[in-house]
């Protein structure tokens, strides 16, 4: 009943920026806590950033100072602003609720010259 759709990925040069969006729709009480994950080929899926209340955010060590997670509850959307991108940021990015076992298609981010 709940659907999360990731978008905003693409090809960007090292040092560039990109903003991902996570649009939530369907039957749910509220967006609540949303987590951004990423997965590169040959690696397991790991979290990138977590947002609960508007002023609460947690980031993986690898992206601290470069990525910013935010939300717009009126639009039922969570964003991930990615600055100073590095080749190692290349991955498929997903968003999801805690404890949810279903996953969407994600959005591909490729950082390469």
């Amino acid at each position: 009943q709940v659907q999360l759709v990731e978008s905003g990925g693409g090809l960007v040069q090292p040092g560039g920026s990109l903003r991902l969006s996570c649009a939530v729709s369907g039957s749910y009480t509220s967006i609540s806590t949303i987590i951004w994950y990423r997965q590169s080929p040959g690696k397991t899926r790991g979290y990138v950033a977590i947002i609960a209340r508007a002023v609460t955010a947690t980031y993986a060590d690898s992206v601290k100072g470069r990525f910013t997670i935010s939300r717009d509850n009126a639009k039922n959307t969570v964003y991930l602003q990615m600055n100073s991108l590095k080749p190692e940021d290349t991955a498929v990015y997903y968003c999801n609720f805690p404890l949810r076992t279903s996953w969407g298609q994600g959005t591909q981010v490729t950082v390469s010259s």
Side-chain angles (χ1 to χ4, degrees):
Q1 292 184 316
V2 178
Q3 184 177 10
L4 299 91
V5 180
E6 304 91 344
S7 63
L11 175 63
V12 64
Q13 295 183 341
S17 298
L18 216 56
R19 188 175 79 160
L20 307 183
S21 297
C22 174
V24 183
S25 62
S27 299
Y28 60 94
T29 302
S30 65
I31 290 180
S32 188
T33 299
I34 294 289
I35 305 173
W36 278 102
Y37 304 83
R38 67 184 181 186
Q39 184 173 26
S40 300
K43 296 182 178 180
T44 58
R45 180 157 42 210
Y47 97 93
V48 175
I50 305 170
I51 187 167
R53 297 179 180 179
V55 297
T56 302
T58 301
Y59 301 93
D61 289 341
S62 59
V63 306
K64 286 181 179 178
R66 300 188 298 118
F67 290 13
T68 302
I69 187 170
S70 62
R71 66 195 304 162
D72 186 338
N73 290 331
K75 297 181 179 180
N76 294 325
T77 302
V78 175
Y79 304 97
L80 184 67
Q81 177 66 48
M82 306 184 295
N83 299 324
S84 302
L85 284 162
K86 304 175 181 179
E88 49 263 46
D89 295 319
T90 296
V92 178
Y93 285 72
Y94 305 85
C95 61
N96 215 343
F97 294 114
L99 305 180
R100 190 169 185 266
T101 58
S102 297
W103 297 85
Q105 295 299 113
T107 184
Q108 174 71 51
V109 172
T110 302
V111 184
S112 176
S113 60

